[in-house]
PDB file of all heavy atoms in Angstrom:
ATOM      1  N   PRO A  12     -37.471  48.967 -15.172  1.00  0.00           N
ATOM      2  CA  PRO A  12     -36.846  48.788 -13.853  1.00  0.00           C
ATOM      3  C   PRO A  12     -37.026  47.383 -13.280  1.00  0.00           C
ATOM      4  O   PRO A  12     -36.331  47.005 -12.354  1.00  0.00           O
ATOM      5  CB  PRO A  12     -37.574  49.825 -12.991  1.00  0.00           C
ATOM      6  CG  PRO A  12     -38.896  50.015 -13.655  1.00  0.00           C
ATOM      7  CD  PRO A  12     -38.641  49.852 -15.128  1.00  0.00           C
ATOM      8  N   GLY A  77     -42.101  34.460  -3.110  1.00  0.00           N
ATOM      9  CA  GLY A  77     -42.621  35.582  -2.320  1.00  0.00           C
ATOM     10  C   GLY A  77     -41.907  36.898  -2.588  1.00  0.00           C
ATOM     11  O   GLY A  77     -42.250  37.921  -1.995  1.00  0.00           O
ATOM     12  N   GLY A  78     -40.908  36.892  -3.459  1.00  0.00           N
ATOM     13  CA  GLY A  78     -40.238  38.141  -3.833  1.00  0.00           C
ATOM     14  C   GLY A  78     -39.353  38.681  -2.717  1.00  0.00           C
ATOM     15  O   GLY A  78     -39.314  38.140  -1.599  1.00  0.00           O
ATOM     16  N   ALA A  79     -38.649  39.753  -3.036  1.00  0.00           N
ATOM     17  CA  ALA A  79     -37.838  40.421  -2.013  1.00  0.00           C
ATOM     18  C   ALA A  79     -38.747  40.916  -0.890  1.00  0.00           C
ATOM     19  O   ALA A  79     -38.346  40.983   0.275  1.00  0.00           O
ATOM     20  CB  ALA A  79     -37.059  41.576  -2.637  1.00  0.00           C
ATOM     21  N   THR A  80     -39.993  41.226  -1.239  1.00  0.00           N
ATOM     22  CA  THR A  80     -40.936  41.740  -0.237  1.00  0.00           C
ATOM     23  C   THR A  80     -41.186  40.745   0.889  1.00  0.00           C
ATOM     24  O   THR A  80     -41.333  41.139   2.044  1.00  0.00           O
ATOM     25  CB  THR A  80     -42.259  42.135  -0.935  1.00  0.00           C
ATOM     26  OG1 THR A  80     -41.950  43.095  -1.945  1.00  0.00           O
ATOM     27  CG2 THR A  80     -43.242  42.741   0.043  1.00  0.00           C
ATOM     28  N   LEU A  81     -41.232  39.451   0.577  1.00  0.00           N
ATOM     29  CA  LEU A  81     -41.412  38.478   1.663  1.00  0.00           C
ATOM     30  C   LEU A  81     -40.181  38.449   2.573  1.00  0.00           C
ATOM     31  O   LEU A  81     -40.298  38.234   3.778  1.00  0.00           O
ATOM     32  CB  LEU A  81     -41.719  37.076   1.121  1.00  0.00           C
ATOM     33  CG  LEU A  81     -42.051  36.042   2.204  1.00  0.00           C
ATOM     34  CD1 LEU A  81     -43.243  36.460   3.062  1.00  0.00           C
ATOM     35  CD2 LEU A  81     -42.297  34.670   1.605  1.00  0.00           C
ATOM     36  N   PHE A  83     -38.570  40.990   3.506  1.00  0.00           N
ATOM     37  CA  PHE A  83     -38.728  42.084   4.470  1.00  0.00           C
ATOM     38  C   PHE A  83     -39.318  41.556   5.785  1.00  0.00           C
ATOM     39  O   PHE A  83     -39.009  42.067   6.856  1.00  0.00           O
ATOM     40  CB  PHE A  83     -39.669  43.173   3.926  1.00  0.00           C
ATOM     41  CG  PHE A  83     -39.194  43.900   2.696  1.00  0.00           C
ATOM     42  CD1 PHE A  83     -40.072  44.711   1.979  1.00  0.00           C
ATOM     43  CD2 PHE A  83     -37.884  43.795   2.244  1.00  0.00           C
ATOM     44  CE1 PHE A  83     -39.649  45.405   0.852  1.00  0.00           C
ATOM     45  CE2 PHE A  83     -37.452  44.482   1.113  1.00  0.00           C
ATOM     46  CZ  PHE A  83     -38.340  45.285   0.415  1.00  0.00           C
ATOM     47  N   TRP A 105     -37.324  51.391  -1.040  1.00  0.00           N
ATOM     48  CA  TRP A 105     -37.265  49.957  -0.728  1.00  0.00           C
ATOM     49  C   TRP A 105     -36.811  49.714   0.702  1.00  0.00           C
ATOM     50  O   TRP A 105     -37.362  48.859   1.396  1.00  0.00           O
ATOM     51  CB  TRP A 105     -36.414  49.210  -1.742  1.00  0.00           C
ATOM     52  CG  TRP A 105     -37.116  49.141  -3.064  1.00  0.00           C
ATOM     53  CD1 TRP A 105     -36.729  49.725  -4.237  1.00  0.00           C
ATOM     54  CD2 TRP A 105     -38.370  48.487  -3.346  1.00  0.00           C
ATOM     55  NE1 TRP A 105     -37.659  49.478  -5.228  1.00  0.00           N
ATOM     56  CE2 TRP A 105     -38.674  48.723  -4.711  1.00  0.00           C
ATOM     57  CE3 TRP A 105     -39.267  47.737  -2.585  1.00  0.00           C
ATOM     58  CZ2 TRP A 105     -39.827  48.229  -5.327  1.00  0.00           C
ATOM     59  CZ3 TRP A 105     -40.427  47.243  -3.197  1.00  0.00           C
ATOM     60  CH2 TRP A 105     -40.690  47.493  -4.545  1.00  0.00           C
ATOM     61  N   SER A 106     -35.823  50.470   1.178  1.00  0.00           N
ATOM     62  CA  SER A 106     -35.424  50.268   2.572  1.00  0.00           C
ATOM     63  C   SER A 106     -36.538  50.722   3.512  1.00  0.00           C
ATOM     64  O   SER A 106     -36.734  50.171   4.597  1.00  0.00           O
ATOM     65  CB  SER A 106     -34.101  50.964   2.891  1.00  0.00           C
ATOM     66  OG  SER A 106     -34.030  52.244   2.348  1.00  0.00           O
ATOM     67  N   THR A 149     -30.125  48.696   2.057  1.00  0.00           N
ATOM     68  CA  THR A 149     -30.441  48.389   0.659  1.00  0.00           C
ATOM     69  C   THR A 149     -29.291  48.903  -0.205  1.00  0.00           C
ATOM     70  O   THR A 149     -29.061  50.110  -0.263  1.00  0.00           O
ATOM     71  CB  THR A 149     -31.780  49.055   0.278  1.00  0.00           C
ATOM     72  OG1 THR A 149     -32.783  48.571   1.181  1.00  0.00           O
ATOM     73  CG2 THR A 149     -32.188  48.744  -1.150  1.00  0.00           C
ATOM     74  N   MET A 150     -28.548  47.971  -0.806  1.00  0.00           N
ATOM     75  CA  MET A 150     -27.318  48.369  -1.501  1.00  0.00           C
ATOM     76  C   MET A 150     -27.600  49.263  -2.708  1.00  0.00           C
ATOM     77  O   MET A 150     -26.831  50.167  -3.000  1.00  0.00           O
ATOM     78  CB  MET A 150     -26.519  47.143  -1.933  1.00  0.00           C
ATOM     79  CG  MET A 150     -25.022  47.443  -2.022  1.00  0.00           C
ATOM     80  SD  MET A 150     -24.012  46.180  -2.809  1.00  0.00           S
ATOM     81  CE  MET A 150     -24.520  44.677  -2.015  1.00  0.00           C
ATOM     82  N   ASN A 151     -28.703  49.001  -3.382  1.00  0.00           N
ATOM     83  CA  ASN A 151     -29.068  49.855  -4.520  1.00  0.00           C
ATOM     84  C   ASN A 151     -30.553  50.164  -4.459  1.00  0.00           C
ATOM     85  O   ASN A 151     -31.373  49.248  -4.497  1.00  0.00           O
ATOM     86  CB  ASN A 151     -28.724  49.160  -5.839  1.00  0.00           C
ATOM     87  CG  ASN A 151     -29.006  50.050  -7.038  1.00  0.00           C
ATOM     88  OD1 ASN A 151     -28.376  51.076  -7.223  1.00  0.00           O
ATOM     89  ND2 ASN A 151     -29.989  49.676  -7.849  1.00  0.00           N
ATOM     90  N   GLU A 152     -30.866  51.445  -4.333  1.00  0.00           N
ATOM     91  CA  GLU A 152     -32.272  51.868  -4.294  1.00  0.00           C
ATOM     92  C   GLU A 152     -32.741  52.066  -5.731  1.00  0.00           C
ATOM     93  O   GLU A 152     -32.381  53.037  -6.413  1.00  0.00           O
ATOM     94  CB  GLU A 152     -32.426  53.155  -3.476  1.00  0.00           C
ATOM     95  CG  GLU A 152     -32.285  52.930  -1.969  1.00  0.00           C
ATOM     96  CD  GLU A 152     -33.525  52.295  -1.326  1.00  0.00           C
ATOM     97  OE1 GLU A 152     -34.536  52.080  -2.022  1.00  0.00           O
ATOM     98  OE2 GLU A 152     -33.467  52.015  -0.115  1.00  0.00           O
ATOM     99  N   THR A 153     -33.601  51.155  -6.159  1.00  0.00           N
ATOM    100  CA  THR A 153     -34.032  51.052  -7.548  1.00  0.00           C
ATOM    101  C   THR A 153     -34.811  52.280  -8.015  1.00  0.00           C
ATOM    102  O   THR A 153     -34.744  52.668  -9.175  1.00  0.00           O
ATOM    103  CB  THR A 153     -34.925  49.801  -7.666  1.00  0.00           C
ATOM    104  OG1 THR A 153     -34.337  48.760  -6.885  1.00  0.00           O
ATOM    105  CG2 THR A 153     -35.073  49.348  -9.100  1.00  0.00           C
ATOM    106  N   ILE A 154     -35.570  52.871  -7.109  1.00  0.00           N
ATOM    107  CA  ILE A 154     -36.426  54.003  -7.481  1.00  0.00           C
ATOM    108  C   ILE A 154     -35.645  55.319  -7.415  1.00  0.00           C
ATOM    109  O   ILE A 154     -35.747  56.156  -8.314  1.00  0.00           O
ATOM    110  CB  ILE A 154     -37.680  54.043  -6.574  1.00  0.00           C
ATOM    111  CG1 ILE A 154     -38.571  52.828  -6.917  1.00  0.00           C
ATOM    112  CG2 ILE A 154     -38.445  55.365  -6.723  1.00  0.00           C
ATOM    113  CD1 ILE A 154     -39.754  52.638  -5.981  1.00  0.00           C
ATOM    114  N   ASP A 174     -30.361  44.048   1.176  1.00  0.00           N
ATOM    115  CA  ASP A 174     -31.211  43.877   0.000  1.00  0.00           C
ATOM    116  C   ASP A 174     -30.393  44.304  -1.217  1.00  0.00           C
ATOM    117  O   ASP A 174     -30.069  45.482  -1.381  1.00  0.00           O
ATOM    118  CB  ASP A 174     -32.461  44.757   0.148  1.00  0.00           C
ATOM    119  CG  ASP A 174     -33.392  44.674  -1.059  1.00  0.00           C
ATOM    120  OD1 ASP A 174     -33.035  44.006  -2.056  1.00  0.00           O
ATOM    121  OD2 ASP A 174     -34.492  45.280  -0.999  1.00  0.00           O
ATOM    122  N   THR A 175     -30.028  43.341  -2.040  1.00  0.00           N
ATOM    123  CA  THR A 175     -29.218  43.636  -3.232  1.00  0.00           C
ATOM    124  C   THR A 175     -29.995  43.303  -4.511  1.00  0.00           C
ATOM    125  O   THR A 175     -29.423  42.983  -5.551  1.00  0.00           O
ATOM    126  CB  THR A 175     -27.844  42.908  -3.150  1.00  0.00           C
ATOM    127  OG1 THR A 175     -27.056  43.197  -4.297  1.00  0.00           O
ATOM    128  CG2 THR A 175     -27.987  41.402  -3.017  1.00  0.00           C
ATOM    129  N   SER A 176     -31.337  43.423  -4.421  1.00  0.00           N
ATOM    130  CA  SER A 176     -32.199  43.010  -5.541  1.00  0.00           C
ATOM    131  C   SER A 176     -31.787  43.625  -6.875  1.00  0.00           C
ATOM    132  O   SER A 176     -31.673  42.933  -7.882  1.00  0.00           O
ATOM    133  CB  SER A 176     -33.648  43.410  -5.259  1.00  0.00           C
ATOM    134  OG  SER A 176     -34.171  42.659  -4.188  1.00  0.00           O
ATOM    135  N   SER A 177     -31.576  44.948  -6.884  1.00  0.00           N
ATOM    136  CA  SER A 177     -31.423  45.587  -8.196  1.00  0.00           C
ATOM    137  C   SER A 177     -29.971  45.790  -8.623  1.00  0.00           C
ATOM    138  O   SER A 177     -29.728  46.333  -9.698  1.00  0.00           O
ATOM    139  CB  SER A 177     -32.185  46.918  -8.220  1.00  0.00           C
ATOM    140  OG  SER A 177     -31.840  47.700  -7.102  1.00  0.00           O
ATOM    141  N   TYR A 193     -29.977  39.227   0.053  1.00  0.00           N
ATOM    142  CA  TYR A 193     -31.105  38.677  -0.720  1.00  0.00           C
ATOM    143  C   TYR A 193     -31.389  39.538  -1.941  1.00  0.00           C
ATOM    144  O   TYR A 193     -31.054  40.732  -1.972  1.00  0.00           O
ATOM    145  CB  TYR A 193     -32.351  38.538   0.153  1.00  0.00           C
ATOM    146  CG  TYR A 193     -32.933  39.836   0.685  1.00  0.00           C
ATOM    147  CD1 TYR A 193     -34.044  40.430   0.083  1.00  0.00           C
ATOM    148  CD2 TYR A 193     -32.388  40.464   1.810  1.00  0.00           C
ATOM    149  CE1 TYR A 193     -34.597  41.605   0.578  1.00  0.00           C
ATOM    150  CE2 TYR A 193     -32.928  41.647   2.304  1.00  0.00           C
ATOM    151  CZ  TYR A 193     -34.032  42.210   1.680  1.00  0.00           C
ATOM    152  OH  TYR A 193     -34.569  43.379   2.167  1.00  0.00           O
ATOM    153  N   ALA A 194     -31.980  38.895  -2.941  1.00  0.00           N
ATOM    154  CA  ALA A 194     -32.271  39.588  -4.195  1.00  0.00           C
ATOM    155  C   ALA A 194     -33.442  38.938  -4.905  1.00  0.00           C
ATOM    156  O   ALA A 194     -33.418  37.727  -5.166  1.00  0.00           O
ATOM    157  CB  ALA A 194     -31.041  39.553  -5.112  1.00  0.00           C
ATOM    158  N   GLY A 195     -34.461  39.712  -5.202  1.00  0.00           N
ATOM    159  CA  GLY A 195     -35.501  39.266  -6.124  1.00  0.00           C
ATOM    160  C   GLY A 195     -34.854  39.199  -7.501  1.00  0.00           C
ATOM    161  O   GLY A 195     -34.160  40.123  -7.911  1.00  0.00           O
ATOM    162  N   ALA A 196     -35.048  38.103  -8.218  1.00  0.00           N
ATOM    163  CA  ALA A 196     -34.271  37.874  -9.449  1.00  0.00           C
ATOM    164  C   ALA A 196     -34.638  38.802 -10.605  1.00  0.00           C
ATOM    165  O   ALA A 196     -33.810  39.049 -11.484  1.00  0.00           O
ATOM    166  CB  ALA A 196     -34.449  36.425  -9.894  1.00  0.00           C
ATOM    167  N   GLN A 197     -35.846  39.340 -10.575  1.00  0.00           N
ATOM    168  CA  GLN A 197     -36.372  39.939 -11.823  1.00  0.00           C
ATOM    169  C   GLN A 197     -35.761  41.279 -12.206  1.00  0.00           C
ATOM    170  O   GLN A 197     -36.096  41.838 -13.246  1.00  0.00           O
ATOM    171  CB  GLN A 197     -37.893  40.061 -11.732  1.00  0.00           C
ATOM    172  CG  GLN A 197     -38.405  41.131 -10.775  1.00  0.00           C
ATOM    173  CD  GLN A 197     -38.507  40.649  -9.341  1.00  0.00           C
ATOM    174  OE1 GLN A 197     -37.983  39.638  -8.973  1.00  0.00           O
ATOM    175  NE2 GLN A 197     -39.215  41.410  -8.518  1.00  0.00           N
ATOM    176  N   LYS A 198     -34.885  41.831 -11.390  1.00  0.00           N
ATOM    177  CA  LYS A 198     -34.238  43.082 -11.764  1.00  0.00           C
ATOM    178  C   LYS A 198     -33.022  42.799 -12.651  1.00  0.00           C
ATOM    179  O   LYS A 198     -32.848  43.402 -13.688  1.00  0.00           O
ATOM    180  CB  LYS A 198     -33.809  43.876 -10.519  1.00  0.00           C
ATOM    181  CG  LYS A 198     -34.935  44.131  -9.515  1.00  0.00           C
ATOM    182  CD  LYS A 198     -35.943  45.144 -10.035  1.00  0.00           C
ATOM    183  CE  LYS A 198     -37.261  45.139  -9.273  1.00  0.00           C
ATOM    184  NZ  LYS A 198     -37.168  45.393  -7.848  1.00  0.00           N
ATOM    185  N   VAL A 205     -38.557  34.023  -8.372  1.00  0.00           N
ATOM    186  CA  VAL A 205     -37.560  33.433  -7.476  1.00  0.00           C
ATOM    187  C   VAL A 205     -36.769  34.551  -6.807  1.00  0.00           C
ATOM    188  O   VAL A 205     -36.475  35.581  -7.429  1.00  0.00           O
ATOM    189  CB  VAL A 205     -36.629  32.428  -8.203  1.00  0.00           C
ATOM    190  CG1 VAL A 205     -35.781  33.081  -9.278  1.00  0.00           C
ATOM    191  CG2 VAL A 205     -35.729  31.695  -7.190  1.00  0.00           C
ATOM    192  N   THR A 206     -36.480  34.357  -5.534  1.00  0.00           N
ATOM    193  CA  THR A 206     -35.666  35.277  -4.747  1.00  0.00           C
ATOM    194  C   THR A 206     -34.486  34.498  -4.195  1.00  0.00           C
ATOM    195  O   THR A 206     -34.673  33.436  -3.601  1.00  0.00           O
ATOM    196  CB  THR A 206     -36.502  35.867  -3.595  1.00  0.00           C
ATOM    197  OG1 THR A 206     -37.633  36.528  -4.173  1.00  0.00           O
ATOM    198  CG2 THR A 206     -35.700  36.869  -2.776  1.00  0.00           C
ATOM    199  N   ASN A 300     -29.678  52.112 -11.961  1.00  0.00           N
ATOM    200  CA  ASN A 300     -30.924  52.873 -12.168  1.00  0.00           C
ATOM    201  C   ASN A 300     -30.580  54.352 -12.150  1.00  0.00           C
ATOM    202  O   ASN A 300     -30.012  54.848 -11.187  1.00  0.00           O
ATOM    203  CB  ASN A 300     -31.933  52.572 -11.060  1.00  0.00           C
ATOM    204  CG  ASN A 300     -32.150  51.079 -10.867  1.00  0.00           C
ATOM    205  OD1 ASN A 300     -31.557  50.480  -9.973  1.00  0.00           O
ATOM    206  ND2 ASN A 300     -32.956  50.468 -11.699  1.00  0.00           N
ATOM    207  N   TYR A 340     -29.415  47.508 -16.492  1.00  0.00           N
ATOM    208  CA  TYR A 340     -28.981  46.277 -15.820  1.00  0.00           C
ATOM    209  C   TYR A 340     -27.936  45.546 -16.658  1.00  0.00           C
ATOM    210  O   TYR A 340     -27.664  45.912 -17.807  1.00  0.00           O
ATOM    211  CB  TYR A 340     -30.203  45.378 -15.566  1.00  0.00           C
ATOM    212  CG  TYR A 340     -31.191  45.981 -14.582  1.00  0.00           C
ATOM    213  CD1 TYR A 340     -32.537  46.132 -14.907  1.00  0.00           C
ATOM    214  CD2 TYR A 340     -30.774  46.399 -13.316  1.00  0.00           C
ATOM    215  CE1 TYR A 340     -33.448  46.673 -14.010  1.00  0.00           C
ATOM    216  CE2 TYR A 340     -31.683  46.938 -12.403  1.00  0.00           C
ATOM    217  CZ  TYR A 340     -33.008  47.076 -12.755  1.00  0.00           C
ATOM    218  OH  TYR A 340     -33.907  47.616 -11.860  1.00  0.00           O
TER     219      TYR A 340
HETATM  220  C1  LIG B   1     -38.089  45.479  -6.714  1.00  0.00           C
HETATM  221  C2  LIG B   1     -37.413  45.555  -5.411  1.00  0.00           C
HETATM  222  C3  LIG B   1     -37.959  44.962  -4.261  1.00  0.00           C
HETATM  223  C4  LIG B   1     -39.278  44.233  -4.284  1.00  0.00           C
HETATM  224  O1  LIG B   1     -39.131  43.065  -4.991  1.00  0.00           O
HETATM  225  P1  LIG B   1     -40.344  42.019  -5.197  1.00  0.00           P
HETATM  226  O2  LIG B   1     -39.597  40.827  -5.694  1.00  0.00           O
HETATM  227  O3  LIG B   1     -41.282  42.626  -6.174  1.00  0.00           O
HETATM  228  O4  LIG B   1     -40.968  41.785  -3.883  1.00  0.00           O
HETATM  229  C5  LIG B   1     -37.255  45.056  -3.091  1.00  0.00           C
HETATM  230  N1  LIG B   1     -36.084  45.708  -3.022  1.00  0.00           N
HETATM  231  C6  LIG B   1     -35.526  46.289  -4.094  1.00  0.00           C
HETATM  232  C7  LIG B   1     -34.214  46.996  -3.966  1.00  0.00           C
HETATM  233  C8  LIG B   1     -36.172  46.232  -5.327  1.00  0.00           C
HETATM  234  O5  LIG B   1     -35.622  46.804  -6.405  1.00  0.00           O
END
Side-chain angles (χ1 to χ4, degrees):
T80 303
L81 186 58
F83 296 168
W105 289 115
S106 43
T149 302
M150 208 191 311
N151 184 66
E152 286 284 356
T153 319
I154 291 173
D174 178 355
T175 180
S176 292
S177 51
Y193 64 100
Q197 72 275 14
K198 306 289 164 58
V205 64
T206 302
N300 308 98
Y340 294 126

